[in-house]
Amino acid sequence: MPDELYPFFDIQMVKIPEGNVELRDDRKNTRWNVEIKPFLLGTYPVTMELYEFVDQDSAASFSGNQKPIVNVSWHDAILFCNKLSLKMGLTACYTINDEQVTCVWEANGYRLPTEAEWQYACKAGSNGYRYGELDRIAWYDANSEGKVHVVGEKEPNAWGLHDMLGNVWEWCWDLYDEQVYGSYRIFRGGSWAEEARGCGASCRRRSHPTFRIDDLGFRLARSI
């Protein structure tokens, strides 16, 4: 790890094995299968301390705040991934030309997971809507006391990933439906403000890539 980041951050990531996952769009009543290549996914959502340190480019911003970063747009997340990659001596994944963003999937830097990668990792080999009892694995409207919580306080899934459901929604790479919604991007997972029914592995939401709100963040992925 470069000296400018050490010893502040250990960006913990889990190696996700290859496999396949079935996605569905209830709006269109369609289902499709996606093959998943091995990749790395963050153990936790990106925290406020990591985001602020990298974004502000100053060790003075090291706050120790272990709550997930929120109020970040999809574009904010993309820019953060590139900036963190360069700080870590890695090749940035994203090329940005005005509002057009392309991803070099072979690059070794940080990126957003695809929604297929996200769902596959969330389920962690399980077959149900959730990988455990909701109150044990997620912060949602019935137990969150109306606020975001420190990452990792709830039980992980079988692959060691925390907060995949609840706490904060997480931006994914994918367009939702370009023909109908244009540039809208997908986010997954539910949040501290969401009802129980919205906190499930296959629940899909979308918004404009400039959208920001207090229960929406993101998680880092890397190709391997």
Side-chain angles (χ1 to χ4, degrees):
M1 180 179 292
D3 291 341
E4 61 185 319
L5 285 181
Y6 182 82
F8 296 117
F9 300 111
D10 175 17
I11 303 173
Q12 299 179 48
M13 306 195 84
V14 173
K15 184 177 180 180
I16 307 300
E18 66 181 1
N20 61 77
V21 63
E22 181 184 83
L23 301 183
R24 74 170 191 258
D25 185 339
D26 292 337
R27 183 176 52 93
K28 293 182 175 181
N29 195 28
T30 57
R31 297 173 182 263
W32 64 101
N33 286 298
V34 179
E35 182 179 349
I36 304 295
K37 297 179 180 180
F39 69 103
L40 300 175
L41 189 65
T43 304
Y44 311 105
V46 171
T47 61
M48 292 184 184
E49 67 163 359
L50 176 59
Y51 190 90
E52 292 167 0
F53 180 79
V54 173
D55 190 55
Q56 296 177 22
D57 204 24
S58 170
S61 65
F62 179 67
S63 65
N65 193 330
Q66 291 295 308
K67 294 178 181 177
I69 187 67
V70 293
N71 288 308
V72 287
S73 70
W74 184 87
H75 285 300
D76 293 335
I78 292 294
L79 290 171
F80 177 86
C81 287
N82 272 3
K83 192 168 186 178
L84 177 60
S85 296
L86 295 176
K87 274 184 170 288
M88 299 295 286
L90 303 172
T91 302
C93 291
Y94 297 116
T95 300
I96 304 170
N97 185 7
D98 294 327
E99 295 297 311
Q100 299 297 315
V101 181
T102 56
C103 182
V104 179
W105 298 100
E106 296 78 18
N108 65 356
Y110 294 96
R111 59 176 177 81
L112 296 178
T114 67
E115 71 159 333
E117 288 175 332
W118 188 96
Q119 181 172 312
Y120 176 73
C122 179
K123 292 177 76 68
S126 64
N127 295 318
Y129 189 54
R130 304 185 182 103
Y131 51 83
E133 181 186 341
L134 189 57
D135 279 298
R136 299 173 68 91
I137 64 174
W139 296 110
Y140 66 111
D141 71 341
N143 67 6
S144 70
E145 300 181 341
K147 61 185 179 182
V148 68
H149 287 259
V150 169
V151 300
E153 292 184 330
K154 292 292 187 177
E155 293 179 359
N157 68 10
W159 291 347
L161 299 166
H162 290 263
D163 299 297
M164 291 296 289
L165 299 179
N167 215 3
V168 294
W169 292 98
E170 299 179 10
W171 284 113
C172 294
W173 161 256
D174 309 67
L175 291 163
Y176 183 76
D177 184 339
E178 191 170 11
Q179 291 184 338
V180 177
Y181 290 94
S183 62
Y184 275 36
R185 299 283 175 166
I186 291 169
F187 50 90
R188 292 294 207 107
S191 79
W192 60 264
E194 184 63 32
E195 296 179 353
R197 64 183 180 181
C199 297
S202 57
C203 183
R204 307 170 79 225
R205 298 286 174 85
R206 79 275 183 181
S207 194
H208 194 271
T210 60
F211 178 67
R212 299 181 179 93
I213 198 168
D214 61 359
D215 65 344
L216 174 57
F218 67 103
R219 187 181 302 253
L220 297 170
R222 288 181 65 191
S223 300
I224 54 176

